[in-house]
Amino acid sequence: MSLLDEEGNQDESLESKTLSAEDQVKDHSAGTRVVAGQIFLESGKSDSQSENEENFHSQEEEKENSLEELNSLEMSNLLNKDLEETEIQSPVLTAIGGTADGEPCHFPFLFMEKEYAECTADGREDGRLWCATTYDYKKDQKWGFCESEEQSNKRKQMQEAEDVYQIGMKILNESSKKAQKKVAYQYLLKAADMNHTKAMEKVSYALLFGDYLKQNIQSSKELFEKLTEEGSPKGQMALGFLYASGLGVNSSQAKALVYYTFGALGGNLIAHMILGYRYWAGIGVLQSCESALTHYRLVANHVASDISLTGGTVVQRIRLADEVENPGMASGMLEEDLIQYYQFLAEKGDVQAQVGLGQLHLHGGRGVEQNHQRAFEYFNQAANAGNSHAMAFLGKMYSEGSDVVPQSNETALQYFKKAADMGNPVGQSGLGMAYLYGRGVPVNYELALKYFQKAAEQGWVDGQLQLGSMYYNGIGVKKDYKQALKYFNLASQGGHILAFYNLAQMHATGTGVMRSCHTAVELFKNVCERGRWSERLMTAYNSYKDGDSNSAVVQYLLLAEQGYEVAQSNAAFILDQKEASIVGENETYPRALLHWNRAASQGYTVARIKLGDYHFYGFGTDVDYETAFIHYRLASEQQHSAQAMFNLGYMHEKGLGIKQDIHLAKRFYDMAAEASPDAQVPVFLALCKLGVIYSLQYIREINIREVFSHIDMDQLLGPEWDLYLMTIIALLLGTIIAYRQRQHQAIPRPAGLRPAVPQQEPPPEHQPPQ
């Protein structure tokens, strides 16, 4: 069973967060000067001046957008303004019962020498809210209830539910033990039974995935339907997922699209991500790059804004199919024995082991949980030993601050300086950030540029990213989009999320490059897939390794809806192996075929070959050799797959889906042997069989009599060929006669000796004399 996020970030990692209408309008704006999720200060200006100028530049860039976009933004702003005015004008409360029934409440009012600006329960044992209708309650004794008895009881019930919910969340966030988390979910279950919305969201997802509660798709579906009726975007998104995947309901892509759309309109980020993928791939909707761009950009903006200097957690993408083929090679996970060995080395004072373990615990991944306390301890040990890399990472931790390390620009600056003086690129980049933003030192763009260049020259991605940002915004240097593009590309090769984000923005707006919607969508998609919800990939993998295939397949199916190719192939793999009992036996192959198809369209070779296999053997579809041949050919041409080449050779040999051609069969077999050493043995056997078949076919096709009639013996053996032939025949005849004569001669035996084990006694008259 997998563990949920121990830091209590379940809302963000699984169910996402809800955006306000104003946030959505901001995220859809095409022109923006905010690069890498950071606001850059102009030279020699204060923070407030910079903010004003940022607003000015933002307005200037918005003027350059199309009239249609401006109109939509103006309408949204007007709507938001109206909503704000409506909220400010709060309704006048009327007293119910009491001594002033029907009169308006007076705020503030004086009671027990204390002024109240809102209804209160003070002075009442039943906790019911009341108000005075004049300023001085003691003098006039004019009062009434702010709520009916029914409303009061409902409010008390919701307050009780909130208290139970908070207890459950406190236990959930503070404990790392599985047993304690199960106790926490019992509190959440109780709160959910009392119709607490957030508790219902937590419990419904726990029931869906089988996290700390027994998996129950039907119960989770009922809760999602209840949440949807209440207008919960998380409930709408989840109900859309159930209809898309056919879990607990009859599959309906039309209903799924409706619920996803409502979830996205409510601000659910995962719903936006799903719609982005659907528009990009044309699933249930007409393919539209621009629509995909809108949804992906909105999600990417929030992912980029959450990225810190440390880069967040590492996304571990493990393919179940590859792990079965090559156990231990594909996962990239560190064995427990290996981790203990590194810990032993670190305790013995091995600086490299200390730095390595520090980085593992800082970022998490490869089977190691994120733990800032342990990361800080390892870096401290290595820094005390004089390791510049450890000093730089300690600077990063102090610069950002956390529950373990208090934020301190001064301490961070000291570590960055020590590391930079030793030529460490991480320290140089950190020092550049300090001078760029004035953290512990005065703002100095020249020094910031200098340190970023030093770090970039050593290949450090943060230095390359910040250098690109300075060129993009023209901070400390002349604005140069080509240079910005160059450094963003370099940083993206190192896998920096913000580099992908900045490149996506440039391609989306055509800044410094030709505008390319397709490229922008692919880059934004990459950024979105690095969001906190990606932690679910590791949780699903752990569920599968623990033998809970039902939980794993549901988690992979949700991630597959979000467009994760590795989740699509893993869900298809589990279905292909028929390991998930929640899916009917008749539905496993058709559903696996669907997800193999989606994974193949994203370039996964094994999925493309699987599609060929499914059509070849008729798994989940009718037998179709021509379609199988097309998939094998695509895998062969695009991914140079040896397996696909071998299969093409076999189909050419047998004439399946294509005209039989032994020569092309041999060619594909040879190509397969060249593409992979593992294919050489099966290719050798296939070629031997092909040779035999070819020889038999040749003999069957030729006419022996016709061949001899065309042979000219004089030309072949010379004019005296008959003499040669007669001589050979005479020699053969003489040999045969001599051989037969020797057989008829009796072989004399010594007296008294008989065969050791005679097979049959010869007749008496033929026995040798005694």
Side-chain angles (χ1 to χ4, degrees), residues 704-730:
I704 302 295
R705 187 177 297 173
E706 188 179 341
V707 169
F708 278 110
S709 67
H710 286 85
I711 294 175
D712 186 351
M713 301 301 289
D714 288 339
Q715 187 176 357
L716 185 64
L717 298 175
E720 298 178 349
W721 64 271
D722 52 344
L723 294 175
Y724 300 146
L725 184 59
M726 288 173 64
T727 306
I728 292 169
I729 291 172

Side-chain angles (χ1 to χ4, degrees), residues 176-334:
S176 59
K177 293 181 179 178
K178 188 175 178 179
Q180 286 295 311
K181 288 184 180 285
K182 284 186 175 181
V183 171
Y185 267 91
Q186 292 306 312
Y187 281 102
L188 294 177
L189 261 175
K190 185 179 178 183
D193 291 339
M194 298 164 75
N195 294 324
H196 190 282
T197 303
K198 288 185 178 179
M200 284 195 292
E201 289 172 348
K202 287 276 187 188
V203 169
S204 58
Y205 277 90
L207 289 168
L208 178 66
F209 297 133
D211 287 330
Y212 307 113
L213 294 173
K214 187 178 179 182
Q215 189 176 31
N216 190 325
I217 303 293
Q218 195 60 37
S219 297
S220 69
K221 176 193 141 239
E222 290 169 4
L223 279 173
F224 287 139
E225 287 175 338
K226 195 171 181 180
L227 287 166
T228 299
E229 288 172 6
E230 294 179 5
S232 165
K234 295 174 184 176
Q236 291 163 342
M237 184 279 295
L239 201 55
F241 162 65
L242 292 182
Y243 276 106
S245 56
L247 294 172
V249 294
N250 292 326
S251 179
S252 171
Q253 297 304 319
K255 286 185 178 180
L257 185 63
V258 169
Y259 285 119
Y260 284 148
T261 304
F262 277 113
L265 288 171
N268 186 273
L269 294 180
I270 291 180
H272 275 295
M273 195 171 168
I274 291 171
L275 286 175
Y277 174 66
R278 288 190 162 230
Y279 278 110
W280 181 64
I283 299 171
V285 292
L286 287 174
Q287 198 167 12
S288 171
C289 184
E290 294 299 332
S291 297
L293 180 63
T294 301
H295 289 289
Y296 272 130
R297 175 190 274 164
L298 187 147
V299 181
N301 287 343
H302 285 268
V303 173
S305 67
D306 286 340
I307 300 302
S308 61
L309 281 174
T310 54
T313 56
V314 176
V315 180
Q316 202 73 36
R317 300 170 190 259
I318 303 170
R319 298 186 191 279
L320 299 180
D322 291 351
E323 196 173 59
V324 169
E325 291 283 331
N326 305 297
M329 291 180 65
S331 68
M333 302 290 289
L334 289 176

Side-chain angles (χ1 to χ4, degrees), residues 573-622:
F573 175 81
I574 294 173
L575 292 169
D576 180 78
Q577 300 295 310
K578 296 190 175 182
E579 295 176 334
S581 61
I582 59 169
V583 180
E585 191 172 344
N586 295 332
E587 299 176 14
T588 52
Y589 281 138
R591 292 192 186 191
L593 179 66
L594 172 72
H595 287 94
W596 284 130
N597 193 29
R598 292 182 183 179
S601 66
Q602 296 199 61
Y604 183 40
T605 310
V606 173
R608 181 66 67 187
I609 295 170
K610 280 286 186 181
L611 283 177
D613 293 344
Y614 273 47
H615 284 95
F616 187 91
Y617 295 108
F619 293 159
T621 182
D622 296 330

Side-chain angles (χ1 to χ4, degrees), residues 5 9-10 12-16 270 273 299 303 307 311-318 363 497 525-541 555-556 558-559 562 564 566-567:
D5 184 16
N9 291 329
Q10 184 72 0
E12 293 184 34
S13 63
L14 294 178
E15 307 147 52
S16 88
I270 291 180
M273 195 171 168
V299 181
V303 173
I307 300 302
T313 56
V314 176
V315 180
Q316 202 73 36
R317 300 170 190 259
I318 303 170
H363 301 294
I497 307 175
K525 182 175 182 287
N526 193 317
V527 175
C528 294
E529 290 182 0
R530 304 282 284 276
R532 291 190 177 183
W533 38 80
S534 63
E535 294 169 12
R536 179 55 64 181
L537 282 170
M538 204 64 217
T539 316
Y541 174 76
Q555 294 175 78
Y556 278 133
L558 177 57
L559 292 164
Q562 292 173 246
Y564 285 89
V566 68

Side-chain angles (χ1 to χ4, degrees), residues 480-496:
D480 189 336
Y481 292 133
K482 288 187 177 178
Q483 284 293 318
L485 188 70
K486 169 190 168 184
Y487 285 112
F488 287 151
N489 273 321
L490 287 171
S492 70
Q493 289 169 17
H496 204 297

Side-chain angles (χ1 to χ4, degrees), residues 433-605:
M433 293 291 286
Y435 281 112
L436 180 64
Y437 292 106
R439 295 172 182 168
V441 289
V443 172
N444 189 324
Y445 295 137
E446 289 183 9
L447 282 176
L449 185 71
K450 171 188 168 185
Y451 282 114
F452 286 144
Q453 283 175 334
K454 285 184 175 181
E457 284 169 5
Q458 295 188 62
W460 182 241
V461 289
D462 280 340
Q464 294 165 342
L465 175 78
Q466 296 303 333
L467 203 54
S469 297
M470 292 186 79
Y471 277 111
Y472 182 89
N473 290 283
I475 298 174
V477 290
K478 186 180 178 181
K479 191 178 287 189
D480 189 336
Y481 292 133
K482 288 187 177 178
Q483 284 293 318
L485 188 70
K486 169 190 168 184
Y487 285 112
F488 287 151
N489 273 321
L490 287 171
S492 70
Q493 289 169 17
H496 204 297
I497 307 175
L498 295 180
F500 288 116
Y501 175 76
N502 293 343
L503 284 172
Q505 291 283 27
M506 293 182 78
H507 281 93
T509 56
T511 306
V513 290
M514 285 289 289
R515 187 180 186 277
S516 172
C517 176
H518 184 77
T519 305
V521 167
E522 288 190 336
L523 289 165
F524 275 133
K525 182 175 182 287
N526 193 317
V527 175
C528 294
E529 290 182 0
R530 304 282 284 276
R532 291 190 177 183
W533 38 80
S534 63
E535 294 169 12
R536 179 55 64 181
L537 282 170
M538 204 64 217
T539 316
Y541 174 76
N542 288 332
S543 295
Y544 181 77
K545 296 303 283 186
D546 290 340
D548 192 352
S549 296
N550 286 336
S551 173
V553 78
V554 173
Q555 294 175 78
Y556 278 133
L557 285 171
L558 177 57
L559 292 164
E561 280 289 298
Q562 292 173 246
Y564 285 89
E565 177 270 305
V566 68
Q568 291 167 348
S569 59
N570 285 352
F573 175 81
I574 294 173
L575 292 169
D576 180 78
Q577 300 295 310
K578 296 190 175 182
E579 295 176 334
S581 61
I582 59 169
V583 180
E585 191 172 344
N586 295 332
E587 299 176 14
T588 52
Y589 281 138
R591 292 192 186 191
L593 179 66
L594 172 72
H595 287 94
W596 284 130
N597 193 29
R598 292 182 183 179
S601 66
Q602 296 199 61
Y604 183 40
T605 310

